[in-house]
Amino acid sequence: VALLGVVPDLPFLGKSTLADIERLLHGKLLGGHHLMNAHYDVREVDLVTTGVRRFLRKADYRSTIAKRPLFVTHATRDDIVLAYLSMYKRKTSDISKQPADSDSHGASEMLADSAGAPAGNEQWQRQWPSLPWAGAMILCSGTAEGVDEDEQRPLPFLMEMVRAHDAPVMLVEGGTRNINDRIHSYTAKMHIKDPTRVAAAIEHYEPHIDFDKLLNTM
């Protein structure tokens, strides 16, 4: 069998957009629609069960390497929602919003692994510290038996704050652990509504595959 090429792994191709996650969980994105096509790594999903101070310390500490964390918590954690909104405003106040149909760095973002700047790539080692932070939050509601439904949903005034901040907060039905597991086990797919991933795949695969040999064998 002829060897047509050896293609190294590219973590970017496994990242899901917020639109992918919204479809997967049948959720509703309340704000941050300009980030619908931004890509998030399942390795940066953080199930938040701690207090506010620990949440903020951890999020701030990791913000230099985790540019797009995805926080999962229960919809009744009003304190965590307020802390996240405060952090989102602080981190993004001086960053202009990207177009809704593009990722913050286009197909070239595929060169950057979510864990940090890739070793050996001097350009991205220089650019990585300046990449914009765009953490998102998923609020889970409606799972406890015997508890009034209204007591399991986020407070309306907090959701108005989400919209006012235009922060990427998604509301979904289900328990936090179940939602967390579903995101972790999801494999992002190529589709026409994600041109950044398609372009990244073409740019990545083309140099590693002998297409002339492939066409000659057909």
Side-chain angles (χ1 to χ4, degrees):
V1 178
L3 179 63
L4 298 176
V6 178
V7 183
D9 182 41
L10 184 64
F12 175 79
L13 297 181
K15 294 182 179 182
S16 303
T17 65
L18 286 182
D20 291 333
I21 296 172
E22 185 179 46
R23 285 191 294 270
L24 171 70
L25 303 176
H26 304 290
K28 181 180 180 182
L29 193 63
L30 303 177
H33 292 91
H34 59 287
L35 291 169
M36 281 287 281
N37 291 325
H39 294 80
Y40 290 77
D41 196 326
V42 296
R43 292 174 297 178
E44 293 177 11
V45 176
D46 187 4
L47 180 57
V48 183
T49 59
T50 61
V52 170
R53 293 190 179 188
R54 186 171 180 182
F55 163 69
L56 288 175
R57 280 199 301 268
K58 183 178 179 181
D60 268 327
Y61 173 76
R62 297 192 68 240
S63 65
T64 57
I65 57 174
K67 297 295 184 177
R68 287 184 182 162
L70 191 58
F71 305 111
V72 178
T73 195
H74 198 268
T76 57
R77 289 299 307 270
D78 308 329
D79 54 342
I80 296 296
V81 176
L82 285 170
Y84 161 76
L85 290 176
S86 174
M87 183 177 185
Y88 181 81
K89 183 177 181 180
R90 173 165 50 89
K91 292 283 188 182
T92 62
S93 60
D94 57 346
I95 299 174
S96 60
K97 293 177 181 176
Q98 303 296 327
D101 60 349
S102 69
D103 212 331
S104 63
H105 287 268
S108 297
E109 184 192 344
M110 70 177 192
L111 297 174
D113 186 285
S114 62
N121 190 301
E122 295 181 0
Q123 178 185 0
W124 272 96
Q125 286 176 340
R126 291 194 300 269
Q127 290 182 355
W128 185 257
S130 64
L131 293 181
W133 186 91
M137 176 165 279
I138 294 180
L139 299 179
C140 311
S141 66
T143 60
E145 295 183 5
V147 178
D148 187 77
E149 185 175 337
D150 289 340
E151 295 298 319
Q152 301 183 59
R153 298 192 174 280
L155 294 173
F157 87 88
L158 283 180
M159 297 303 94
E160 289 302 318
M161 289 183 65
V162 166
R163 296 184 179 94
H165 284 72
D166 200 16
V169 174
M170 189 182 302
L171 186 60
V172 302
E173 295 284 342
T176 53
R177 291 190 182 278
N178 175 261
I179 294 299
N180 184 67
D181 290 344
R182 290 177 64 186
I183 295 173
H184 271 283
S185 62
Y186 178 67
T187 301
K189 308 295 193 302
M190 294 283 181
H191 56 82
I192 195 172
K193 293 183 179 180
D194 189 358
T196 301
R197 182 185 284 117
V198 174
I202 294 172
E203 186 176 337
H204 178 65
Y205 277 83
E206 189 173 22
H208 299 285
I209 298 176
D210 189 340
F211 285 98
D212 290 333
K213 183 180 290 185
L214 175 62
L215 292 173
N216 288 334
T217 59
M218 296 178 65

